[in-house]
Amino acid sequence: MRLDFSNPGKKWKLYASLLSDQKELGLPFPREWTHENFKLPPNWREIFLKNMESVLKKYRSVRLFMDLCVHCGACADKCPFFLATRDPHNMPVARQDLFRSVYKKFFDASGKLLGTTAGAVKDLDEKVVDDWYTYFYQCSECRRCGVFCPYGIDTAEITIAAREVLLSIGLSTKSTTQSINKCEFIGNHLGIPPAAMANSLEFMEEELREEGWDVEIPLNKKGAEILFVTPSADYFGDPHWYTMKGYVKLFHVLDLDYTLSTYASEGGNFGLFLSYEHMKKINAKIYKEAKRLGVKWILGGECGHMYRVVHNFMGSIHEEPPDFLEEPVSPITGTKFKNAVSTKMVHICEFTADLIKHGKLKLDPSKNDQYVVTYHDSCNPARAMGLIEEPRYILRHVCNHYVELDPSVNRERTICCTAGGGLLTDECLELRYQAIKPKIDAIKRSGANFLALICAIDKAAFPTYMRHYKLPIRVGGVHELVGNALVPP
Amino acid sequence: MDPWAFFVGDVLSYIAVIVFVIGVLARVGKWLSVPVPLKVPLTPGPTTYPGVVIRLAKEVFLFRSLFKGEKKLWVGAWTFHIFLLTTLIIHVINLLYHDLWSVIGYGWYEFAGYTGIILFGALVFLLARRITAQHMRYLSKLPDYFILILLMAIVFMGNYIRSFSGVDVKQVSAWLYSLIALHPIPPPSDPYFLTHVLLAELLIMYIPFSKIMHFIGIFVSPTRNQRNDGRMRRHRNPWNFPVKIMSWDEYWAKFGDQLRGIEGENEGEAREEQKSLTGDKSGVGG
């Protein structure tokens, strides 16, 4: 395995947070700084080590993974960012070692005794911080490495912890904090204010009416049965828009009593890419709004990292369980979603697959005959939820030509869109073009002309990749194809 | 009495066992003292505990994930671990329950003699892999080499004793039983044998401070031992803390003009009026 010791990864440092975002979000040490000049506070070493100790005491995963790695190297070539850069620090084990080497130096006997020969860092200086900032923001937290690790060591756990430490000395990235700020104070990552969201949905109603669908999209409707929460890109983005139309058509044929919300107009959670606190803040709005509207349960749209929070974290980050909600039951089929009885939040693919299974949808898959469809497993649904069969089940019912991707980059082994974890930003676009290459090659080999997926970041990233690689492949959500195949009532 | 044999065979054996037990307990205790605040199972995450047991068994006995990850290393690593296990079992039978061979059959006894050679071969492979592959050279630190070389030395000495120098098994057996009974007698003073024992004791003492702790850590790893039930059951985060988020009233204050226009959004307005009324009252009363 070839390594490039010139550290090409250093070319792709993400930009520094804007001063306004740092201030409005109350982040530590707000100041004007850049990715080249951190302007760290004078006592940063002390703060750094204090916070490192704190994350080591907060997460058993992090504490354990420090001792557990045997440096077997099985993960080395599993990271798309390593394959793209050949930068040794981008091997998952070496990315962890950036953290582990400081741990050895300050928190472990072997490093204190033997120093660098035992893998401890020489000194905690600004170079270490620079390495951390570069490479822990070159991890999309996709967890592919963890699937192949004999001990399940998950680099994302280390990345999340390292970013908490970096934040404590005032380091965070612009694209992430910008989105978080908009989400916390306007309602969604794109910063769409309520009126614009309402206009957009009205526009969608008009568009659908022209297509023969007499739909109404309920917004902020009190007493609806279901609150539908989806990433804000679905109201504005392309190709997200067509997925949104798919949902709306689906809910229309079902005559579903649901509502969208302006206050909880974001399903995604960029807080996950910054810190526990902001992840919790963004997620908390969903329950708060569900309570205010008096809905029975929550349905979530297509998104990737949203479900890392919803599926893995939502059940433990809130002080009170959502007792004001009811255990989710499909009003159409009567199916109880036993997998979501605690958080009361169901994934749209679970909902739709259940409808199809019970024969409640009139579908004409020939409406998608112009497409040879393949499915891209997004990292979080595939590796965090295990949501692998449902979207495939739906796709096989809504289109006639469905092909699988190469098993080496499919299902839980998927190579992610490489834009997650706060990397959906233009300063690392060239890096992502390279990192996505193995997936693009697999998509090319599949012969598909429609790449179906269930993640808003995928939907933002893949069309750009397709243009770059000059591939005439349409990118869209699973529910776009559902929408196409639905027979109007 | 040979003082070196007494030191290696009796003094150091007890020290090694004490260091091992206390060291391992302390290290595992340290891990367990840190909470698991969140659910982080990796696919395929079972939703039940029996499922978790099956998953971990597959990892422990078959190295399932490593098999997915790197086939060549899997062959080397699995061979090493399996033959390490058989070697340990053979040691126990040979030295503590020697009569068992009459039940198992002496043909197996002869065969067992060769397994140590396979074990050594697997170690050679693992070391060669570290040295020849560029990324492995980059990743390997002193402890990674130290463990392999120490193991190779132990296995080499064992094979040497078995094949060439020999040792009186009855004497070794008596020595081990005396250690267990806490009435230690010295071991055979054969230098090859004592070197073998000394190196093994060093390894045992080193385990709690080394990556060999993975033999317990693999069961502690949250991505593998958790049930995939994040939405099914509530999980407690002991260090959870409250956060303040924009309330509906603050939201209304900021976007009321826009929200008034949205169908179904009159409640906020009503509440705003009510609030201004109560506000007036408190103003008067205050």
Side-chain angles (χ1 to χ4, degrees):
Chain A
M1 210 174 296
R2 189 173 50 80
L3 300 183
D4 184 343
F5 289 101
S6 71
N7 295 118
K10 283 277 180 188
K11 273 186 282 184
W12 316 110
K13 278 157 76 173
L14 300 194
Y15 293 163
S17 287
L18 298 176
L19 180 61
S20 52
D21 289 326
Q22 296 175 60
K23 277 185 177 160
E24 282 156 33
L25 289 171
L27 303 183
F29 307 108
R31 71 212 178 283
E32 296 268 8
W33 60 286
T34 69
H35 61 286
E36 273 148 357
N37 186 0
F38 292 157
K39 299 190 186 159
L40 297 175
N43 57 338
W44 69 266
R45 264 184 206 82
E46 209 181 298
I47 302 162
F48 187 101
L49 289 173
K50 205 184 93 201
N51 280 277
M52 201 167 155
E53 194 182 355
S54 147
V55 293
L56 284 164
K57 282 185 178 155
K58 268 161 56 177
Y59 298 96
R60 184 180 298 166
S61 52
V62 178
R63 179 66 188 76
L64 175 74
F65 295 162
M66 289 299 104
D67 296 337
L68 196 51
C69 178
V70 300
H71 288 110
C72 78
C75 60
D77 59 348
K78 304 302 184 285
C79 176
F81 297 100
F82 169 69
L83 295 173
T85 58
R86 297 283 159 180
D87 189 316
H89 287 309
N90 271 333
M91 289 188 279
V93 43
R95 198 186 308 281
Q96 297 161 25
D97 276 350
L98 291 170
F99 195 105
R100 200 174 278 118
S101 59
V102 182
Y103 162 81
K104 294 236 173 206
K105 170 90 181 172
F106 297 97
F107 303 97
D108 185 66
S110 75
K112 281 178 188 162
L113 277 173
L114 298 166
T116 50
T117 46
V121 75
K122 211 169 176 179
D123 193 19
L124 180 56
D125 51 21
E126 288 216 22
K127 190 191 165 296
V128 174
V129 179
D130 192 70
D131 285 346
W132 277 43
Y133 183 78
T134 307
Y135 297 106
F136 285 121
Y137 276 103
Q138 221 158 93
C139 167
S140 66
E141 301 178 1
C142 86
R143 310 169 89 209
R144 186 168 193 255
C145 47
V147 167
F148 300 99
C149 173
Y151 316 112
I153 297 177
D154 174 7
T155 310
E157 291 290 296
I158 313 282
T159 296
I160 289 168
R163 288 182 182 183
E164 294 245 4
V165 177
L166 288 173
L167 180 64
S168 74
I169 55 169
L171 300 180
S172 55
T173 65
K174 181 175 144 192
S175 58
T176 298
T177 48
Q178 244 174 356
S179 300
I180 294 174
N181 195 2
K182 286 177 191 155
C183 197
E184 288 182 13
F185 297 107
I186 298 175
N188 50 64
H189 291 147
L190 295 185
I192 310 168
M197 181 176 167
N199 284 344
S200 185
L201 294 176
E202 268 164 39
F203 184 70
M204 182 173 282
E205 286 171 353
E206 274 165 39
E207 220 179 81
L208 282 168
R209 245 172 250 140
E210 277 165 29
E211 293 167 25
W213 290 76
D214 190 21
V215 300
E216 253 180 64
I217 307 174
L219 186 58
N220 291 0
K221 180 179 143 195
K222 283 207 152 187
E225 184 177 358
I226 297 165
L227 169 63
F228 182 63
V229 180
T230 196
S232 56
D234 288 1
Y235 326 124
F236 263 91
D238 182 1
H240 310 67
W241 179 258
Y242 304 97
T243 303
M244 185 73 199
K245 280 167 89 173
Y247 304 142
V248 170
K249 282 154 90 174
L250 175 70
F251 300 156
H252 178 69
V253 299
L254 299 174
D255 200 13
L256 198 72
D257 182 17
Y258 77 105
T259 183
L260 285 151
S261 153
T262 54
Y263 178 81
S265 51
E266 183 58 65
N269 193 327
F270 275 35
L272 172 68
F273 310 146
L274 183 69
S275 71
Y276 181 92
E277 183 190 347
H278 290 280
M279 179 265 285
K280 179 171 172 172
K281 278 185 172 177
I282 289 176
N283 183 261
K285 282 199 302 188
I286 298 177
Y287 278 155
K288 208 165 182 148
E289 182 68 346
K291 193 172 185 178
R292 188 187 72 88
L293 292 173
V295 300
K296 287 185 181 162
W297 55 279
I298 308 162
L299 184 62
E302 295 179 3
C303 187
H305 71 285
M306 159 177 171
Y307 286 94
R308 177 86 151 108
V309 179
V310 167
H311 184 75
N312 280 349
F313 304 159
M314 201 172 184
S316 46
I317 56 178
H318 300 300
E319 284 77 6
E320 299 296 327
D323 290 335
F324 48 88
L325 296 173
E326 290 174 18
E327 291 183 1
V329 177
S330 169
I332 317 298
T333 65
T335 299
K336 287 182 182 163
F337 292 100
K338 288 183 189 149
N339 59 329
V341 292
S342 166
T343 57
K344 276 97 173 169
M345 188 150 176
V346 175
H347 191 290
I348 184 77
C349 282
E350 295 165 344
F351 181 74
T352 305
D354 173 66
L355 292 169
I356 294 174
K357 179 128 192 170
H358 285 86
K360 297 290 182 192
L361 291 183
K362 251 190 231 163
L363 296 165
D364 177 7
S366 72
K367 286 275 160 50
N368 286 316
D369 271 355
Q370 70 274 36
Y371 298 131
V372 178
V373 178
T374 191
Y375 178 69
H376 158 76
D377 283 283
S378 312
C379 52
N380 285 307
R383 281 190 278 265
M385 299 179 81
L387 189 89
I388 289 173
E389 297 307 333
E390 289 85 344
R392 288 178 165 79
Y393 182 81
I394 297 170
L395 286 173
R396 286 198 200 94
H397 283 85
V398 299
C399 59
N400 286 318
H401 313 292
Y402 174 71
V403 289
E404 283 288 343
L405 292 178
D406 190 291
S408 65
V409 292
N410 210 18
R411 306 173 77 91
E412 81 271 20
R413 296 175 205 208
T414 184
I415 286 203
C416 71
C417 68
T418 69
L423 274 68
L424 183 65
T425 169
D426 282 347
E427 62 260 33
C428 64
L429 185 59
E430 292 290 329
L431 168 69
R432 289 191 279 123
Y433 284 151
Q434 291 313 306
I436 197 65
K437 191 106 196 323
K439 192 80 193 212
I440 293 287
D441 289 343
I443 294 166
K444 246 197 273 184
R445 281 199 304 275
S446 76
N449 64 5
F450 191 106
L451 181 66
L453 25 74
I454 51 167
C455 167
I457 293 181
D458 285 349
K459 285 171 198 159
F462 270 106
T464 318
Y465 303 153
M466 295 306 178
R467 279 194 295 278
H468 177 79
Y469 284 102
K470 300 192 171 57
L471 296 174
I473 298 174
R474 196 181 147 70
V475 177
V478 166
H479 279 78
E480 175 178 339
L481 295 171
V482 172
N484 292 348
L486 275 176
V487 179
Chain B
M1 187 168 63
D2 182 347
W4 178 240
F6 176 73
F7 175 71
V8 172
D10 299 326
V11 179
L12 213 49
S13 347
Y14 283 120
I15 294 177
V17 170
I18 291 166
V19 170
F20 175 81
V21 172
I22 293 177
V24 166
L25 287 178
R27 175 79 37 164
V28 175
K30 234 179 217 174
W31 294 337
L32 297 183
S33 70
V34 181
V36 185
L38 300 169
K39 282 270 169 188
V40 289
L42 271 162
T43 299
T47 52
T48 60
Y49 279 128
V52 169
V53 171
I54 292 167
R55 173 186 205 170
L56 282 173
K58 280 185 189 163
E59 291 297 343
V60 170
F61 294 110
L62 301 174
F63 298 12
R64 186 169 169 273
S65 296
L66 184 58
F67 185 75
K68 275 189 199 171
E70 196 182 329
K71 300 278 187 290
K72 223 164 79 183
L73 173 60
W74 180 87
V75 173
W78 194 78
T79 308
F80 163 68
H81 283 87
I82 286 299
F83 281 89
L84 179 67
L85 179 68
T86 57
T87 304
L88 291 174
I89 293 170
I90 291 164
H91 272 74
V92 171
I93 299 175
N94 255 353
L95 302 173
L96 298 179
Y97 306 102
H98 199 83
D99 295 342
L100 262 185
W101 285 119
S102 59
V103 182
I104 301 166
Y106 281 95
W108 286 105
Y109 176 76
E110 289 303 319
F111 174 75
Y114 297 102
T115 55
I117 295 163
I118 302 172
L119 180 59
F120 189 76
L123 282 164
V124 170
F125 168 81
L126 292 176
L127 184 63
R129 182 174 166 276
R130 276 202 190 275
I131 295 168
T132 53
Q134 191 193 25
H135 73 289
M136 290 310 297
R137 268 203 310 281
Y138 174 83
L139 293 174
S140 301
K141 302 288 183 304
L142 186 68
D144 303 311
Y145 293 116
F146 176 70
I147 289 168
L148 280 176
I149 290 167
L150 184 58
L151 275 164
M152 285 171 88
I154 296 168
V155 177
F156 181 83
M157 291 311 297
N159 281 323
Y160 187 84
I161 295 162
R162 169 108 200 175
S163 311
F164 302 110
S165 68
V167 67
D168 185 341
V169 173
K170 275 190 189 133
Q171 263 188 32
V172 178
S173 186
W175 163 64
L176 280 176
Y177 274 113
S178 79
L179 289 179
I180 294 166
L182 301 177
H183 286 290
I185 60 166
S189 55
D190 172 64
Y192 298 108
F193 172 74
L194 284 182
T195 313
H196 180 67
V197 172
L198 175 67
L199 293 174
E201 286 163 346
L202 286 179
L203 178 70
I204 290 167
M205 286 189 282
Y206 181 54
I207 286 172
F209 310 98
S210 73
K211 63 179 191 178
I212 305 177
M213 283 306 292
H214 68 253
F215 78 101
I216 293 179
I218 190 169
F219 301 101
V220 184
S221 186
T223 59
R224 291 280 159 75
N225 73 8
Q226 284 186 334
R227 291 174 297 179
N228 181 19
D229 61 354
R231 282 184 292 155
M232 251 183 245
R233 295 180 190 87
R234 231 178 116 71
H235 181 83
R236 208 179 73 85
N237 173 5
W239 51 260
N240 200 14
F241 51 86
V243 294
K244 205 198 154 298
I245 64 171
M246 176 174 60
S247 68
W248 176 261
D249 291 336
E250 286 168 295
Y251 183 65
W252 181 266
K254 200 167 176 180
F255 295 111
D257 293 348
Q258 300 183 27
L259 291 167
R260 263 180 213 106
I262 295 170
E263 195 199 351
E265 209 42 80
N266 340 338
E267 187 71 11
E269 199 172 358
R271 227 197 298 176
E272 201 186 44
E273 279 165 16
Q274 204 183 354
K275 220 177 111 190
S276 64
L277 279 173
T278 51
D280 282 350
K281 272 180 199 159
S282 64
V284 173

